[in-house]
Amino acid sequence: MALVITVNGAQHTVRASPDTPLLYVLRNELHLQGPHFGCGLSQCGACAVLLGHRQIRSCVTPVAGVVGQSITTLEGLPGLYAYTQATHATAPALHPLQQAWIDEQVPQCGYCQNGMLIQAADLLMRNPHPTDTQIRQAMNGHLCRCGTYSAIIRAIKRAAATMA
Ligand code: FES
Ligand code: FES
């Protein structure tokens, strides 16, 4: 059936069964390759996207469940940042978190990093100045086999300082 979903500020009409995982629609229909398939069981976080300002796992979210709501993927983070900052007329090339990820050389294989960035964006919208403990608590549930956790904490703190 035809469903209209809003992703990164644009409406898209997609043809999918209502129970199709949102992840499949994002990757296969809209060709957004930020969210990754990892476990498919809401256990790893690789598929994370924002529903409004909150992180969800797109591998276990039926596409019909997000009709009428706003989805942001990794590709849409700069636009979301511009939208939430009154001083930004146009979207920057990178969200401050993405720039901080580069500056701190966070990614190794990169597979988990979509979910890490999405969860970090969720955190900084709720708590612009998180402590190390608050960062660890917020990022709990996102798994990185390469062990980039320390670099992620540094990058989130760097981005928070930039955004202050
Ligand atoms: S692929 Fe969705 S949480 Fe692992
Ligand atoms: S960077 Fe390789 S799994 Fe996290």
Side-chain angles (χ1 to χ4, degrees):
M1 63 184 294
L3 299 165
V4 179
I5 60 174
T6 302
V7 181
N8 298 336
Q11 286 194 334
H12 302 270
T13 301
V14 297
R15 294 206 160 271
S17 166
D19 60 354
T20 303
L22 174 62
L23 176 63
Y24 298 176
V25 173
L26 293 174
R27 288 186 63 88
N28 300 335
E29 303 297 327
L30 302 186
H31 307 294
L32 294 167
Q33 306 297 309
H36 279 54
F37 184 91
C39 63
L41 298 168
S42 193
Q43 298 293 308
C44 72
C47 66
V49 299
L50 293 170
L51 176 65
H53 290 176
R54 297 309 301 261
Q55 179 264 161
I56 62 166
R57 307 288 166 102
S58 65
C59 68
V60 293
T61 302
V63 64
V66 302
V67 170
Q69 303 184 74
S70 180
I71 295 293
T72 302
T73 69
L74 182 66
E75 294 87 345
L77 284 185
L80 179 64
Y81 180 62
Y83 181 75
T84 57
Q85 302 291 307
T87 54
H88 283 72
T90 57
L94 296 173
H95 188 288
L97 278 164
Q98 294 168 311
Q99 185 60 57
W101 247 242
I102 294 170
D103 294 340
E104 294 290 345
Q105 300 184 7
V106 175
Q108 292 191 32
C109 82
Y111 205 87
C112 70
Q113 299 296 323
N114 167 74
M116 298 296 187
L117 279 156
I118 291 291
Q119 183 65 61
D122 170 320
L123 169 63
L124 292 186
M125 283 188 284
R126 289 182 288 112
N127 180 359
H129 303 289
T131 64
D132 285 19
T133 299
Q134 290 169 332
I135 292 172
R136 286 193 182 90
Q137 288 173 342
M139 304 306 290
N140 190 23
H142 287 263
L143 305 181
C144 176
R145 293 188 68 177
C146 300
T148 61
Y149 301 110
S150 297
I152 286 170
I153 293 174
R154 290 198 306 272
I156 292 174
K157 291 168 75 174
R158 179 187 280 256
T162 300
M163 294 163 70

